[in-house]
Amino acid sequence: MKLGIIGTNGITVQFVDAAEGTGHFQLTAVYSRHEETARQFIGETHDAAIYTDLAAFFASPIDVVYIASPNGLHAGQAIQ
């Protein structure tokens, strides 16, 4: 499944590693408010698209989303 993530914190690194480790998920989209932060997150190990616009992120070809933004943003992002 094509995995998209919102947020690039430490728990997100662990989640992506675990998800990809199952062999069922591939990180394909990363949303961050700052492009440089997303680039650092992806590094050399992932071939994923970077989004700083949430609407564009949700319009991308993803199957499942992991939301790792601040808790107060979860509901709005999940509804989107």
Side-chain angles (χ1 to χ4, degrees), residues 49-64:
I50 294 172
Y51 296 92
T52 56
D53 177 271
L54 200 54
F57 169 82
F58 281 119
S60 70
I62 49 180
D63 299 312
V64 62

Side-chain angles (χ1 to χ4, degrees), residues 11 25 28 65 71:
I11 192 71
F25 299 93
T28 59
V65 175
N71 290 345

Side-chain angles (χ1 to χ4, degrees), residues 5-9 12-13 30-33 41 66-70:
I5 60 164
I6 297 174
T8 55
N9 57 39
T12 307
V13 172
V30 175
Y31 168 81
S32 178
R33 292 174 296 158
F41 179 84
Y66 176 67
I67 299 175
S69 59

